[in-house]
Amino acid sequence: MSTTMIQTNKKSGSKLYFAFSDTRVLVGRSLKHIFKNLDQLLSIIISPIMFMLLFRYVFGGAIATGETTYVNYLVAGILVQTAAFGALTTSLSVANDLKQGIIERLKTLPIVSSGVLMGHVIADLVRNILSSIVMIGIALVVGFRPNASFVEWLQILGILLLFTFAISWLSAIMGLLAKTVEAVQWLGFVAIFPLTFASSAFVPTTGMPKGLKFFAENQPITHVIEAIRSLMIGTPIGNHGKLAIAWCVGFIVIAVPLASYLFRKHKGNR
């Protein structure tokens, strides 16, 4: 191997090492914000518990789910809804960093630019794993009885992480585009609320009006919910697993370069 090739490889290896090192530091920064912010930590734990208890005991008795008990039907929907709304924290974190000028300061440092966004996204993954563990624990207490094998639980975890990763990058775009932190909250609510409630998350789609039923059965969150639900309770998964992965990968392929482009082009504090 020539001296030039060795130097090139060393340079490439150094770039990769510093990119990984920068991202690791920025992930640590985002995680510290999570665990130091008690209000935020409590909100990601209490919110799914409240939804679980509300639907399990207030609405559950009036909703027919066929041969599956309502609590077994419900858990996948609550799990995905929690991940979707939890991922919106990325947009708030990015908006706050922009408002406070932190991102402009970070841009002046010799660090990889995508590491800032990646730090928020990976921190969201950790946060959602914690809230999902708590939520499933509560679900077991109120009667949830899954029959998934160890391998199927790994598949559930993989789909949930992939979904959260995709939504977090879309949230990062919202955080970069919104003019204010308040606008970020509205954007997130408007984008996620219809997708989670106009789906099979809480009720079967069979009783919905024709147009709404078509939307609910074909939108990405329904495929994610149905894939996880089928793996949890042992019903046929059909094409939901493949479509859920395809939607998530498609979002990631579009959102990651777009968010990175918007991040590089952003100028000035808000």
Side-chain angles (χ1 to χ4, degrees):
M1 184 178 292
S2 67
T3 304
T4 304
M5 289 179 67
I6 292 173
Q7 288 175 341
T8 302
N9 288 340
K10 282 184 176 179
K11 188 175 291 184
S12 300
S14 296
K15 285 183 178 179
L16 186 64
Y17 169 78
F18 284 116
F20 177 79
S21 179
D22 294 343
T23 302
R24 180 177 58 79
V25 171
L26 291 164
V27 169
R29 167 183 174 265
S30 297
L31 288 175
K32 283 180 182 176
H33 285 177
I34 292 174
F35 292 107
K36 284 186 176 180
N37 190 336
L38 186 60
D39 292 341
Q40 188 182 109
L41 200 58
L42 287 176
S43 71
I44 64 172
I45 292 174
I46 292 176
S47 175
I49 293 174
M50 290 180 64
F51 269 102
M52 172 60 70
L53 298 180
L54 175 68
F55 279 92
R56 170 72 175 90
Y57 293 111
V58 178
F59 301 127
I63 300 173
T65 53
E67 296 179 355
T68 305
T69 63
Y70 184 67
V71 65
N72 279 352
Y73 180 92
L74 175 66
V75 172
I78 296 282
L79 196 64
V80 174
Q81 184 207 40
T82 301
F85 278 103
L88 291 178
T89 311
T90 295
S91 57
L92 291 172
S93 300
V94 171
N96 274 320
D97 278 356
L98 289 170
K99 181 180 179 180
Q100 295 171 6
I102 294 173
I103 285 183
E104 295 308 314
R105 177 69 183 95
L106 290 174
K107 279 183 174 181
T108 65
L109 301 176
I111 62 174
V112 59
S113 59
S114 60
V116 180
L117 297 179
M118 186 63 81
H120 288 306
V121 169
I122 293 179
D124 261 349
L125 290 180
V126 174
R127 181 172 31 227
N128 273 323
I129 289 172
L130 292 176
S131 61
S132 297
I133 291 171
V134 172
M135 201 282 292
I136 289 176
I138 295 298
L140 291 171
V141 171
V142 299
F144 175 52
R145 296 295 178 265
N147 55 15
S149 65
F150 177 73
V151 172
E152 287 169 332
W153 276 112
L154 290 180
Q155 292 174 334
I156 291 168
L157 178 64
I159 293 173
L160 194 62
L161 289 178
L162 184 64
F163 171 73
T164 305
F165 191 74
I167 295 294
S168 294
W169 276 104
L170 292 173
S171 299
I173 292 174
M174 286 191 282
L176 290 164
L177 291 176
K179 299 296 182 186
T180 64
V181 175
E182 291 76 16
V184 170
Q185 293 173 319
W186 271 108
L187 275 174
F189 181 79
V190 170
I192 298 299
F193 186 87
L195 289 174
T196 53
F197 280 86
S199 71
S200 64
F202 307 110
V203 296
T205 58
T206 50
M208 296 180 181
K210 190 175 179 181
L212 180 60
K213 181 174 181 288
F214 177 81
F215 173 77
E217 290 180 346
N218 293 284
Q219 57 117 327
I221 285 185
T222 290
H223 292 304
V224 176
I225 292 169
E226 291 295 339
I228 291 176
R229 179 179 291 142
S230 300
L231 291 167
M232 279 181 170
I233 63 177
T235 54
I237 193 170
N239 290 324
H240 293 301
K242 295 177 183 175
L243 291 172
I245 293 171
W247 273 108
C248 293
V249 171
F251 284 144
I252 292 169
V253 168
I254 295 171
V256 172
L258 180 57
S260 300
Y261 170 79
L262 292 173
F263 178 83
R264 289 194 300 272
K265 292 295 181 183
H266 185 274
K267 293 180 180 177
N269 298 350
R270 285 172 176 160

